[in-house]
Amino acid sequence: MAYEAMKERLIRGAFEPGRKLTVRAVAEALGVSSTPARDALNRLAAEGALVYSGPKTVIVPYLTMEALQEVTAMRLALEGLAAERGAVRAPKDLPDLLTEYQAKINEGLASRRYAEVLWMNKEFHFSVYKCCNMPYLLTTIETLWLRIGPSFHDLYPEFAIQKYGVHNHEVVIESLRDGDSGAARAAFENDIRDGYRRLKQSIRVREERSES
């Protein structure tokens, strides 16, 4: 349970890259003892989602350019597939649910509560993906989000100002209402590409600072 809780927080961007996490802090945050907290951190470190900087401290790693390119290529292929098949099988009330999620995302963007935006963003995407009824595919997509989720912090405030994600999500909702699974897939793929361009810029700035 501790592992799943930490994994979900990382996927949803609850911890930004560079954040240090101690066994004690994680145990207190999850309401568990140190043993399950340590086991969860060890497992996540073994999966590459965290990196140990000491015997009891881990760091949320920064995303490299190579990792971003690889993860993005996989996301386009796998999330595109999940989105298209999910759109075909989506219940009729899903667009209404996504509209509610988007309203919460918009509220978070307006008030600069980006952690809440990231939390709801995952709900929006996976509400469609889960409809594809392909559990192995979903597990693989979650693994990709586990690696890239913390870096979603770098999308803001630009994404809040330019409304890239808002537009893409609105197209998803409209596509689902129209029964156009291909358009829904294209909208999610555009969302991923827009994020890629912003994250690529962020990595370049960080690398230039480290070299100077």
Side-chain angles (χ1 to χ4, degrees):
M1 291 177 62
Y3 165 77
E4 291 296 337
M6 277 299 297
K7 177 182 176 181
E8 192 66 17
R9 294 188 183 197
L10 287 166
I11 288 174
R12 293 177 185 264
F15 306 109
E16 71 279 6
R19 170 80 73 89
K20 290 185 178 181
L21 302 170
T22 64
V23 172
R24 175 181 291 183
V26 170
E28 291 177 353
L30 300 181
V32 299
S33 65
S34 60
T35 298
R38 185 182 299 107
D39 290 344
L41 294 181
N42 284 336
R43 186 172 173 182
L44 289 165
E47 294 175 354
L50 299 172
V51 177
Y52 265 99
S53 63
K56 295 183 179 180
T57 304
V58 296
I59 295 178
V60 180
Y62 286 97
L63 200 64
T64 65
M65 190 68 76
E66 293 77 11
L68 173 63
Q69 292 171 342
E70 181 178 1
V71 169
T72 300
M74 294 179 68
R75 289 188 65 202
L76 286 169
L78 301 183
E79 291 182 45
L81 174 61
E84 186 166 14
R85 295 202 176 186
V88 172
R89 297 168 173 79
K92 292 183 178 180
D93 62 346
L94 183 57
D96 293 334
L97 178 61
L98 295 182
T99 299
E100 294 178 10
Y101 288 160
Q102 190 58 43
K104 294 180 181 179
I105 290 174
N106 294 345
E107 291 174 4
L109 291 173
S111 56
R112 299 183 180 181
R113 301 194 308 271
Y114 301 136
E116 294 180 20
V117 172
L118 291 175
W119 193 270
M120 292 309 304
N121 181 63
K122 198 257 185 179
E123 288 295 315
F124 188 101
H125 280 248
F126 279 80
S127 291
V128 179
Y129 298 165
K130 288 177 181 177
C131 295
C132 74
N133 196 28
M134 300 175 70
Y136 296 123
L137 176 61
L138 289 175
T139 297
T140 305
I141 293 174
E142 283 195 336
T143 300
L144 297 175
W145 277 56
L146 180 61
R147 186 64 187 90
I148 202 172
S151 294
F152 286 157
H153 280 272
D154 293 332
L155 297 175
Y156 303 101
E158 182 178 333
F159 257 47
I161 298 171
Q162 301 298 332
K163 306 291 185 181
Y164 291 123
V166 173
H167 173 70
N168 292 323
H169 285 189
E170 288 174 345
V171 174
V172 168
I173 295 171
E174 181 180 354
S175 301
L176 290 174
R177 293 193 190 281
D178 293 341
D180 191 338
S181 59
R185 174 174 186 154
F188 276 117
E189 290 174 343
N190 285 336
D191 201 41
I192 295 170
R193 291 190 182 96
D194 287 338
Y196 168 76
R197 285 189 286 269
R198 177 67 188 96
L199 293 179
K200 182 172 66 173
Q201 179 183 356
S202 177
I203 291 174
R204 284 176 175 170
V205 170
R206 188 179 71 248
E207 290 177 346
E208 290 173 357
R209 289 176 178 174
S210 64
E211 292 174 357
S212 61

